[in-house]
Amino acid sequence: MDRTRRKAMTILPLAYLPSVEYLWHLKQGACIIDLGEHFVKRSERNRTRILAPDGVMELTVPVRHANRPQQPMRDVRLDYSKRWQHQHWGALTACYKSAPYFDHYAGRFEPFYRNEYRYLVDYDLQLLEVLCTLLHVEMPPLSERYVEAAPEDLDLRGRHKEGPALLAEPYIQVFSDRLPFAANLSAADLLFAEGPGSASVLARCRQES
């Protein structure tokens, strides 16, 4: 890729049930998802955040050989030695069964917790396609090779987030009667809460100055 000729872009890793911030970046356009990078443990590549009755909960997809250094994302295989699919779907159902639009969209997500996928890339990518379709966000281009970042690019592949980099538009979350608003959870949280209005909420988010 010729860095001297192309426009600035946002480089993203592939992510499991990615965050509102992630979808916001996709909505802005000029993004590319890097499938040629190396797998990073304890990252959004196989981890997401949802809202539980007692606060934010993390869901992690187990992968084989997670400690192997410089393992290409394309080669990362899912680990089914534990019943993580059952656990994840149970958590999503328990946390969002009372959300206004959970029943409306549950059928789009449940197959991902019934069917087995060999590779993390395929699993994440197909889930992302569902989220993009429901949130009216165009799927970005994918790079099979590692993307060399130019100085003007926003490279989000290695950033450790201590807080949301987005000023989120608040919406009524499932446990809003007992918990303060939790920003930048999985975009599924927004979708189950706002349904068809999710795209408008996403559009009203803005980046921190």
Side-chain angles (χ1 to χ4, degrees):
M1 189 174 293
D2 189 345
R3 293 185 297 173
T4 64
R5 296 183 180 179
R6 67 169 171 81
K7 295 181 179 179
M9 61 186 180
T10 299
I11 307 171
L12 292 159
L14 197 54
Y16 169 53
L17 283 178
S19 66
V20 170
E21 179 187 0
Y22 190 105
L23 269 294
W24 181 85
H25 281 293
L26 295 188
K27 194 172 182 66
Q28 306 315 299
C31 289
I32 189 167
I33 293 179
D34 186 359
L35 303 183
E37 63 158 1
H38 293 144
F39 175 71
V40 179
K41 295 189 302 178
R42 296 186 292 275
S43 73
E44 61 194 313
R45 292 157 183 81
N46 66 325
R47 182 174 296 188
T48 193
R49 298 164 68 244
I50 65 172
L51 192 61
D54 56 352
V56 176
M57 170 191 292
E58 288 191 346
L59 300 177
T60 301
V61 175
V63 299
R64 296 185 182 182
H65 311 300
N67 293 320
R68 180 179 293 171
Q70 297 188 328
Q71 183 178 190
M73 269 292 291
R74 268 291 182 193
D75 295 341
V76 177
R77 295 185 62 174
L78 297 174
D79 183 357
Y80 290 99
S81 63
K82 297 180 181 179
R83 300 182 64 204
W84 64 267
Q85 287 180 297
H86 174 78
Q87 294 167 355
H88 284 208
W89 186 244
L92 287 165
T93 301
C95 293
Y96 293 107
K97 61 185 177 183
S98 61
Y101 293 95
F102 178 75
D103 289 342
H104 185 76
Y105 295 119
R108 299 295 299 271
F109 293 94
E110 187 175 10
F112 290 94
Y113 301 94
R114 305 295 184 197
N115 303 323
E116 290 193 4
Y117 292 73
R118 176 170 292 184
Y119 293 102
L120 177 64
V121 163
D122 298 327
Y123 186 67
D124 283 354
L125 190 58
Q126 290 186 38
L127 266 172
L128 177 60
E129 289 172 347
V130 170
L131 282 172
C132 284
T133 297
L134 297 177
L135 291 166
H136 307 292
V137 173
E138 186 175 346
M139 276 290 292
L142 311 173
S143 176
E144 297 289 340
R145 294 184 177 183
Y146 180 78
V147 179
E148 292 286 350
E152 64 272 16
D153 291 336
L154 178 60
D155 188 350
L156 299 179
R157 290 169 294 184
R159 186 176 58 163
H160 296 285
K161 303 170 187 174
E162 297 181 0
L166 196 70
L167 295 176
E169 173 74 14
Y171 53 92
I172 299 176
Q173 293 177 316
V174 66
F175 302 114
S176 60
D177 60 331
R178 70 188 82 166
L179 296 173
F181 177 72
N184 204 32
L185 301 180
S186 168
D189 180 88
L190 169 62
L191 189 66
F192 295 150
E194 292 290 330
S198 298
S200 296
V201 174
L202 194 63
R204 292 195 296 270
C205 297
R206 58 190 177 87
Q207 205 165 19
E208 289 180 340
S209 57

